Amino acid sequence: MRLEPELRLSRVTELTPERLSELGVRGLLLDLDNTLLPPKDAGPLPEEVRRWAEGLKAHGIRLALVTNAKPHRVRWAAAALGVPGAGPVAKPLPFGFLWGLKVLGLPKDEVLAVGDQVFTDLLGARLLGLRFALVEPLAEDALPHTRWLRGLEQRYRKGGNSMKGKPSEGGET
Ligand SMILES: [Mg+2]
């Protein structure tokens, strides 16, 4: 199993309806912290993210939150986005993504999982054979175990310079 994302993104908002259509994607399973907003952010959902989600929904793209965040944050974010959400789901274990696939009601190959962490989000998606987009984390985490994973990820990101379908964009940017 190769731990390589199908896409690498700076921001989740790069996933426009047009781009998703080109990719044949009709549903997203979204991570929350560091993917949609900075972790522990108690403020309102960023307007840019809210509008992005509304735009996708208006184009018939189905969205669900699959996150390791605490229940109150999951409920808050799901309500703010107007999408179903589950968490904490202990990614990379498969239960959250399996729930998400069921909720979206789409074939697996039309679903893209999106997240910022290699060893929870990407690994969990790959264990189920899900397509995956890796986004740059919005903020550094303060949790020791996350910092430790980030260290491993840095090494991984430096080693992985290929971008599937975009051979001209190799190397670090
Ligand atoms: Mg995250």
Side-chain angles (χ1 to χ4, degrees), residues 31 33-35 116-117 121:
D31 177 51
D33 286 319
N34 267 326
T35 296
D116 66 289
Q117 289 201 64
D121 303 317

Side-chain angles (χ1 to χ4, degrees), residues 30-37 39 66-69 91 114-117 120-121 135 137-138 141 146 150:
L30 296 163
D31 177 51
L32 179 61
D33 286 319
N34 267 326
T35 296
L36 297 184
L37 72 170
V66 178
T67 165
N68 287 350
K91 287 179 279 186
V114 186
D116 66 289
Q117 289 201 64
T120 54
D121 303 317
V135 298
L138 289 172
D141 277 296
T146 309
R150 290 278 181 228

